[in-house]
């Protein structure tokens, strides 16, 4: 047991200075080079990023005595970083996972929120979901492969790589369709199937099919490489495999290379799915496709009810003094997606059973099942190949359950106790497949969670906080109220909506931005109102309307002059992307949510302790058991794993956390 050798005070030194300035454009390259020199020379056979969606540091540690499996193992045996805080606004799932994988804040990786708006080529605003990207403008699945070969006066066209390879060796095209005289010079053309005909027609301009340019999930909005991207660039034989219940988690933990394998849960079918953004014809892609298809058939989809039932009961009784809010006290403030109070009947979910699973701890067990299946897969051989591989897992139930039932709830305690078991299963599977000394884990979260503000106030009347409400559950949203006030302040027609949307804490003006005043207190009608006029009144209008909820307004037009001495400026600047951050960033007051329900459930996204302070644990060689108490950030996860895997991560701003290597003759328990 290598950990047993370690005694006494933690002999861990951050290779870097105190990380107070870590979030701002640090020269990561240099620290990484030093780190690689200092780290053990042995490269682990597998690196793992394990994320728990929405798990704050305080929530993880509150229940520490109750863990008996994987979470206990990570906390007892790992290097536990106790003061890792995000330094960006909009602490949401897309930004957080992108930060964990790139080692940088949103201003670098570009994923500034789960959704934002961009001005399209037509001058109008369009909403962008963070993982939406343009789908290939061709039919077929997968559409990435195309070969057109002239041979013996004929043309052979393939859209299926397997059939192409078979034809190369055997000359047999398989289930072909032959069109005489179809070629540009009257050649006979043999197609390996309908996809090949479509692709051929499309490429030769002769198609009568219309191709719609839809969207698909994928990593295209990510502006920089992830650890997984750099791994496959450094080791061409490396595999990167990522699984989660959420697409944005699986996609960003993997990265930009189409070679990566990324699968996520589809709440409509109860199955794991991927997208054509990933190449299913690579060796790893093809193996994963077959394995996941078999998994879906035997363990997911229609099998879910057989496996899990439709009742979510407590795994174990709630122990006295656990700190969880009493269930009957909290129930008034919970969103009853799966009913209120244990036992939860998933049949209550009005979006169907598969959506109910998504909002229950069963989805974590399912994610772990798939991870264990992929780890054990004898063809994929994760951690047993010629190069180090990367496995990424993000568990989502902590987030979905916290949104509806609150992170302080007994439901959430149950999620964590079950997660403890699932993390243990995944680690045990790696112990068997790769060996205990063969892999290294970076464990963290994409953001924390705010407790339900109305319950906080009931418990402590002095508690601050509250919510602004967006979405269809209220007749008048926060944006509606703001638009009415802006219309009045600027003498605009009351039907005009100068603010198109608020997403997270980012505000977007309407486009095209050219409105005219009506006659009134401002004088004659017809005066043009645009960005500068809106900028001039927005801060004071927000202060008047939402002074209790919003602390400050950062106009993006003034980004060059944002006050450096103001602590929140760092958080705003770290989330700022000129193309995606709209026209203003709003800083909420502590405890204030931007939420879709007027009085129930809770969320995250703020720049405050509940949302920014998350676990960061490194387990495996060369990390000794112990803790690091220095102020640091979760942006350190990727650079640290990169250093261990001997990969550079040029875009990272985070620092490398590694034990200093002891001289050969030094007496030390740390190996
Ligand atoms: Zn999240």
């Amino acid at each position: 047991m290598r950990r047993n050798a370690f005694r006494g005070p933690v002999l861990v030194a951050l290779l870097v200075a105190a990380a107070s300035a870590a979030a701002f454009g640090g020269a990561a390259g240099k620290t990484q080079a030093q780190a690689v020199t200092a780290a053990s020379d042995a490269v682990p056979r597998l690196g793992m990023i394990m994320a728990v969606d929405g798990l704050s540091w305080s929530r993880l540690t509150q229940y520490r005595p109750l863990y008996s499996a994987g979470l206990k193992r990570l906390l007892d045996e790992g290097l536990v970083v106790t003061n890792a805080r995000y330094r960006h606004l909009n602490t949401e799932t897309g930004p957080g996972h992108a930060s964990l994988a790139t080692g940088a804040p949103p201003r670098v990786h570009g994923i500034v929120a789960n959704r934002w708006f961009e001005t399209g080529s037509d001058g109008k605003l369009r909403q962008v979901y963070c993982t939406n990207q343009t789908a290939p403008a061709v039919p077929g699945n997968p559409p990435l492969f195309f070969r057109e070969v002239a041979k013996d006066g004929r043309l052979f066209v393939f859209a299926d790589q397997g059939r192409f390879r078979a034809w190369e060796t055997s000359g047999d095209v398989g289930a072909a369709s032959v069109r005489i005289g179809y070629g540009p010079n009257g050649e006979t053309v043999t197609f390996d199937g309908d996809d090949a005909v479509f692709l051929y027609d499309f490429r030769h301009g002769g198609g009568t099919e219309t191709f719609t340019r839809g969207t698909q999930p994928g990593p295209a909005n990510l502006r920089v490489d992830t650890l997984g991207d750099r791994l496959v660039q450094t080791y061409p034989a490396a595999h990167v495999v990522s699984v989660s219940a959420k697409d944005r988690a699986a996609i960003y933990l993997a990265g930009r290379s189409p070679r990566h394998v990324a699968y996520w849960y589809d709440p409509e079918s109860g199955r794991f799915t991927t997208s054509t953004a990933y190449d299913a014809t690579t060796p790893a892609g093809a193996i994963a496709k077959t394995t996941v298809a078999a998994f879906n058939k035997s363990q997911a989809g229609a099998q879910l009810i057989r496996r899990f039932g439709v009742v979510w009961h407590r795994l174990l009784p709630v122990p006295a003094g656990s700190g969880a809010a009493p269930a009957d006290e909290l129930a008034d403030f919970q969103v009853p997606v799966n009913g209120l109070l244990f036992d939860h009947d998933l049949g209550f979910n009005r979006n169907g059973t598969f959506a109910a699973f998504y909002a229950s701890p069963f989805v974590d067990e399912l994610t772990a099942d798939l991870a264990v299946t992929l780890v054990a897969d004898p063809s994929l051989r994760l951690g047993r190949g010629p190069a180090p591989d990367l496995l990424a897992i993000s568990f989502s139930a902590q987030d979905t359950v916290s949104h509806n039932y609150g992170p302080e709830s007994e439901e959430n305690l149950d999620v964590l106790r079950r997660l403890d078991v699932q993390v243990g299963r995944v680690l045990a599977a790696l112990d068997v497949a790769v060996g205990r000394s063969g892999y290294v884990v970076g464990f963290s979260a994409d953001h924390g969670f705010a407790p339900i503000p109305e319950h906080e106030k009931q418990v402590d009347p002095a508690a601050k906080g509250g919510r602004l409400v967006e979405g269809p559950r209220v007749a008048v949203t926060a944006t509606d109220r703001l638009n009415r006030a802006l219309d009045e302040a600027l003498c605009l027609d009351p039907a005009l909506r100068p603010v198109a949307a608020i997403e997270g804490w980012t505000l977007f003006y309407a486009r095209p931005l050219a409105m005219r005043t009506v006659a009134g207190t401002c004088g004659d009608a017809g005066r043009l109102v645009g960005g500068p006029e809106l900028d001039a009144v927005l801060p004071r209008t927000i202060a008047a309307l939402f002074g209790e909820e919003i602390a400050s307004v950062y106009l993006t037009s003034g980004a060059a002059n944002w006050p450096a001495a103001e602590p929140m400026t760092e958080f705003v600047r770290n989330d700022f992307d000129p193309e995606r951050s709209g026209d203003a960033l709003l800083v909420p007051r502590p405890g204030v949510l931007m939420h879709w329900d007027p009085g129930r459930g809770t969320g995250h996204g703020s720049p405050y302790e509940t949302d920014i302070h998350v676990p960061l644990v490194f387990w495996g060689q060369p990390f000794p058991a112990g803790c690091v108490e220095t102020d640091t950030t979760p942006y350190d996860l990727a650079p640290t794993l990169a250093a261990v895997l001997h990969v550079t991560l040029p875009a990272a701003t985070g620092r490398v956390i590694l034990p200093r290597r002891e001289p050969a003759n030094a007496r030390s328990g740390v190996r």
Side-chain angles (χ1 to χ4, degrees), residues 181 337 494:
V337 283

Side-chain angles (χ1 to χ4, degrees), residues 53-54 92-93 97 246 399 446-447 604:
D53 204 308
E92 298 180 348
T93 301
H97 283 91
K246 293 189 184 183
D399 181 87
D446 54 342
H447 53 78
H604 50 84

